[in-house]
Amino acid sequence: MRSLLFLSLVSASFALQLPFKVPFFQSTVPPEDDEPVRGTPKIAIIGAGAAGSSAAFWISKAQERFGVDVEVDVYEKTSRIGGRSLTVYPHGNDTFEPVELGASIFVKANKNLWRAAQEFNLTLRDLSKEDNDLGIWDGEQLLLNGIIDKLVADMLKQYSTLYTADSPKWDNITDLAHSFGWKNLIESTGAEFFTSNGVSKQYVFELIEAASRVNYGQNIDSIHALEAACSIAANGASQIEGGNWQIFERFLNHSRANVFTDTKVTRITQKESKSRPWVVHSDKGPTGYKAVILAALFHQTDIELPSALASQIPEQPYVHLHVTLLTTTSPNLNREYLALSPNEKVPSMLLTTYDGVRQGRKAPEFNSISYHGKINEDEWVVKIFSESPVEDKWLQSLFNDQVGWVHRAEFDAYPKLPPTSSFPPVKLDHGLFYVNAFEPFISTMETETLASRNVVDLLLNEEFSSSICGPRISGSTKDAAAPDSDFVFGWDC
Ligand SMILES: Cc1cc2nc3c(=O)[nH]c(=O)nc-3n(C[C@H](O)[C@H](O)[C@H](O)COP(=O)(O)OP(=O)(O)OC[C@H]3O[C@@H](n4cnc5c(N)ncnc54)[C@H](O)[C@@H]3O)c2cc1C
């Protein structure tokens, strides 16, 4: 159980951004009127995080297997690959191990990332083996905890069919949810779902809420039950040594796509053209494409779309998260702050519940605090997630006046995920696809690779009468591999 909750907590990391330079990345985009090489159709991917890099990878699988003739350009506004997956060095010193600042962990059930780690020879670090003492804080006192059940196992069993040869494809996420029998999960809050299924209120409002707050910055009575279930389904949490972003860099390397870093897309327009109906305008000029894959949260891109297309994507509030990484020579948190007696153990991982507030007490000042191991004999790295910035003075008091280096970052980390019966469209128009429509459903690195696989299948089917695994579209004739087998759809076909 504990390992579940370690989840993003354990995985968060820090310090300076990793310097990023890969020789095959380019900084000039081809002009709009350039004739494509050999008349090859072109696809643009906007964003080089989990979604965009994996989209390029999936396209390259179809190229390798079936000779699908297509050239791919990836646009990335920053100078690095990985998006919300990024690392920093404690003290800004690259002799220390880099720490994850954003997306930190994934699990074995995340078969695309797991497989990528193996195929690309990246080293997995098993965080569940790291011993952390868990505490749950309601703002004023430490609470006890409970036990988890079959509900999550049922959800995971259904989820794992996405890796079989019979995986559905979808252009409507609500239909996908219904086909999985998840209507109730998306339309109820975590609190409604778990309590109506017999889970005790104490368990729900203490333990499951602690997980939904650390993983999604949202309380159990406001987040939909599917995402709440995901946040407690993190057995065997792992991360890539040196940074998860390396998977996404490898995806791009493998794909041989043209990658334009430091290139912000500002506008997408349409024109009368059979071969290049979409024009991607970046800060380096316009280029025409057969199809475009938008692989970033639309409202965070500042991209101007024709209004008939933009209006299809509903307004999207985000969780604005403050991530504070620090080093401290204090081996534990201040006992007085936690009102602990001298012989009580001080948790090294502190999750929070909002239940104290519901009972008229004060709110926790943070969502989670976790010790992440030592960088020196007597210096620990700690990660704090909070809704508001945490002040130096508060940090000093919490860590017994022994705070060293501090690194602060802010993210519009994930969509707010209230219960819903509708999601943004996956396909905005013929040749224009939106991977991150999936995020208000489930927001993780892995599910972005699943969403991109689906989008690439739709696109290849529409434009090239093909798909990642062949002329057929996913999920028809091939024998379905059992959900628990090593077969991974898209990798093994
Ligand atoms: C603090 C934090 C902790 C998290 N913890 C976890 C975790 O433990 N496990 C997990 O699986 N997930 C976690 N997540 C969620 C995870 O980061 C996301 O679900 C996933 O990384 C999203 O990938 P993406 O490629 O869809 O989007 P992003 O990673 O956001 O990538 C989008 C890319 O598009 C680029 N872009 C945006 N606009 C433009 C433009 N106009 N032109 C060109 N490029 C553009 C961006 O620079 C970015 O690189 C966490 C997120 C945060 C913030």
Side-chain angles (χ1 to χ4, degrees), residues 416-468:
K416 287 198 172 162
L417 301 153
T420 183
S421 56
S422 68
F423 298 94
V426 172
K427 179 176 162 181
L428 297 169
D429 201 347
H430 190 98
L432 181 63
F433 296 88
Y434 181 36
V435 182
N436 296 63
F438 208 79
E439 271 201 77
F441 183 55
I442 308 176
S443 174
T444 68
M445 296 182 284
E446 173 72 12
T447 43
E448 288 304 283
T449 68
L450 286 169
S452 75
R453 191 194 73 197
N454 177 64
V455 154
V456 168
D457 254 354
L458 295 181
L459 188 158
L460 294 178
N461 195 42
E462 180 178 278
E463 302 289 350
F464 303 93
S465 302
S466 188
S467 76
I468 298 165

Side-chain angles (χ1 to χ4, degrees), residues 49 53 77 104 110 180 193 236 257 264 294 305 328 374 466 472:
S53 64
K77 72 176 176 186
S104 308
N110 294 161
F180 277 2
F193 178 81
K264 181 173 178 179
L294 179 55
L305 276 182
T328 178
K374 287 180 178 182
S466 188
R472 71 183 179 82

